[in-house]
Structure formats: C-alpha cells, structure tokens
Amino acid sequence: MADKHCVNGHVIDESWDLCPYCPAERGNAAMSIVRPSVVSPRLSTEHRNRLEAIEDVAPRTGGPALVSRTTAVPRVNFGESSKRRYVVGWLVGLNGTSRGESFPIRIGRNVIGRDPRSDVTVGDDQVSAHHADLVFRLDEKRYILMDHNSTNGTFVNEMEIEPRKDLSRLDVVRLGTYKFLFIPLEGFSWEDEGHSR
C-alpha cells in the first residue's frame, strides 16, 4: 500500500484530505484541521463492523457520524524551542483576587493588563486591556516597567511612573486597585547554563 503525500511532500494517512504538518490556510492559524475523508482500509474487519453499526445508529439518535469527524492537531513549530523565554523574576499579588498568586516574569517583554492573554492578568475595571509592559533586558540586567498610555496610570511605591521606571527588589507595583510585589531572580544567570554565581 503506497503512502499518501501532501502538496509539501509530508507523508500522511490516506484517509486525510489536509496535512497536519502544513500551516493552516485560513481560520485559526495556531491549529491545523485534519478531516478524515474515508474509513482507513487498514482497520480490521471487527473494527470496521463496529463503525458500520455505530454509523447505522448515529443518524437515528442524532449523534454525529464517526467517519466524518474533525480532529484538531496543534501545529508544530520547530524553531520555537531555541527561543525559550526563561523566568527571571516574579510579581506576587498582594490584594484582590491575585492575592498570594505569583506571575512569572520572563526574558523580554511581559504584558500586564486585563486581557486574559496577558502575561500578568489583572481583573480590575480600572486596568486597561494592555495596561503596562515589564521588560527584562538580558544584556543590561534591567527590569523596566513601562506604562502603555493607560487611562489610570501605573504606580511604583505609590508614585506614578511617566512613562517608565527601573524596578528594584521588593518594589510594590500598583495598577488600578491591585498591588504586586516585585521579586527578581538574583544570584543566578541563564547564560551560565544555570550555575549560581
């Protein structure tokens, strides 16, 4: 039995009409959709009979047909492993629903805001969807908090920052009514492959 190939040359199952390894052409770019078009001929007679029996019952009960189901497969990006963003500090919630919760701060840009996709999500109506950025510059070993033109401002130790401020150990960051304690990762360097200095 010959293997089926997609337009980009990936070997795929003969029952698939879309390749799970190729990027999605439209819709959700993060997921590739795999739609089996036929029952695989590799199924044993026992499994084929079970599928046919279920297919006979499914339309009468309003259930979905198993042969035409859609399966979502996460797209694999092989280049992402080299771009890992290591943890370099934390914001610890001091009040509200974030009290006692820790939020990792990673190398590069960390978004703080009300949007659930933010790195640090703040559930306060006084906080903008993208309220501020906390940036760690690896080459300078600096933690820089930058207000993102928010309506209600960003505060460090109860002083409003305009537009940015370098953070120090145990600074208290306030956005809206929420307060966070800043704790950097000290005495450690990812460049030295995790060895303490």
Side-chain angles (χ1 to χ4, degrees):
M1 179 175 286
D3 289 322
K4 183 177 178 180
H5 294 270
C6 73
V7 294
N8 293 321
H10 299 116
V11 177
I12 60 175
D13 190 87
E14 291 179 350
S15 65
W16 296 346
D17 59 0
L18 291 176
C19 178
Y21 308 109
C22 294
E25 294 176 17
R26 54 183 142 63
N28 185 353
M31 299 294 278
S32 298
I33 304 299
V34 181
R35 293 184 184 91
S37 55
V38 295
V39 176
S40 174
R42 297 178 187 161
L43 287 177
S44 68
T45 306
E46 179 184 342
H47 285 108
R48 187 178 301 279
N49 291 339
R50 284 186 191 170
L51 278 176
E52 289 171 2
I54 293 170
E55 284 294 310
D56 288 341
V57 173
R60 285 183 271 147
T61 60
L66 291 181
V67 177
S68 63
R69 70 185 165 127
T70 300
T71 306
V73 178
R75 184 170 36 149
V76 177
N77 289 333
F78 296 102
E80 286 181 0
S81 61
S82 62
K83 298 179 184 178
R84 287 196 60 191
R85 294 180 57 221
Y86 296 104
V87 173
V88 292
W90 297 267
L91 285 177
V92 178
L94 296 177
N95 65 345
T97 57
S98 298
R99 182 178 174 146
E101 296 293 322
S102 65
F103 300 90
I105 302 303
R106 300 181 184 280
I107 293 172
R109 178 176 169 233
N110 298 269
V111 176
I112 306 171
R114 199 176 63 240
D115 189 322
R117 295 172 294 178
S118 300
D119 297 297
V120 179
T121 305
V122 183
D124 187 341
D125 290 339
Q126 295 180 20
V127 175
S128 304
H130 182 172
H131 194 97
D133 293 327
L134 179 50
V135 177
F136 176 73
R137 291 190 180 161
L138 183 62
D139 53 341
E140 300 173 25
K141 303 286 190 278
R142 288 174 62 196
Y143 298 87
I144 305 165
L145 182 64
M146 297 184 286
D147 186 75
H148 199 262
N149 298 321
S150 64
T151 305
N152 296 316
T154 302
F155 298 81
V156 174
N157 300 324
E158 291 307 318
M159 298 197 58
E160 188 170 9
I161 64 169
E162 292 182 11
R164 66 187 69 199
K165 177 168 178 30
D166 282 22
L167 289 182
S168 300
R169 185 176 184 273
L170 302 181
D171 277 344
V172 175
V173 176
R174 181 171 65 81
L175 299 92
T177 60
Y178 279 59
K179 293 181 181 180
F180 298 90
L181 184 66
F182 172 66
I183 302 172
L185 180 61
E186 295 176 322
F188 183 87
S189 173
W190 289 112
E191 294 139 339
D192 300 332
E193 298 182 36
H195 300 293
S196 296
R197 30 181 176 106

